[in-house]
Amino acid sequence: MDRTVIAYVIYLLVSIGLTIWVARTLSKNGRVFLADVLHGNEKLADAVNHLLVVGFYLVNLGFVALYLSDDETITDARGIFEALSTKLGVVLLVLGVMHLANVYVLNRIRRRGAMEREQVPPVPPQAWVAPQAQA
């Protein structure tokens, strides 16, 4: 088998494995944020969480597929390691950026929900009192 094909197979296995691991981590821990933001509506939190995970998979696996091809032919074992280190390093950076972007978005949604809860008075006003004239 060609060394380039070996590098491609290793790259795909590691990249897809890392993408699945990060997506599962985001899904499991992001659900807590979403449930808090959505005032305990578990069904809606699960639906939004699932949509975020699907988007994460599409973006990352699309990038992994686009980044697969290489113009250089790998001729030795050293070339395999060099190609894999470059490709996997870039994939790890993209996964890290996507992870931080997801955490940022979830935190912004959570903050907005907390601010909305603070703006609602705990008891609706029953009536108003006219200001008294100063004597």
Side-chain angles (χ1 to χ4, degrees), residues 23-24 34 36 42-43 47 56-57 71 74 79-80 83 88 97 100 106 115-116 119 122 130:
R24 285 186 178 173
L34 289 171
D36 181 46
E42 301 287 330
K43 199 169 184 178
F56 183 83
Y57 276 129
D71 294 335
I74 298 174
I80 291 174
L88 290 175
V97 167
L100 291 175
L106 288 174
M115 288 178 58
E116 286 174 2
Q119 291 178 354

Side-chain angles (χ1 to χ4, degrees), residues 5-71:
V5 174
I6 293 170
Y8 286 168
V9 170
I10 294 170
Y11 164 74
L12 284 173
L13 290 174
V14 173
S15 296
I16 291 170
L18 286 169
T19 300
I20 291 170
W21 175 68
V22 173
R24 285 186 178 173
T25 301
L26 285 172
S27 174
K28 186 175 93 176
N29 297 313
R31 188 181 177 288
V32 175
F33 284 104
L34 289 171
D36 181 46
V37 169
L38 300 172
H39 310 292
N41 188 342
E42 301 287 330
K43 199 169 184 178
L44 184 58
D46 288 337
V48 171
N49 194 23
H50 184 72
L51 291 172
L52 287 172
V53 169
V54 168
F56 183 83
Y57 276 129
L58 289 173
V59 169
N60 284 300
L61 292 177
F63 175 77
V64 165
L66 286 173
Y67 201 60
L68 176 66
S69 66
D70 199 357
D71 294 335

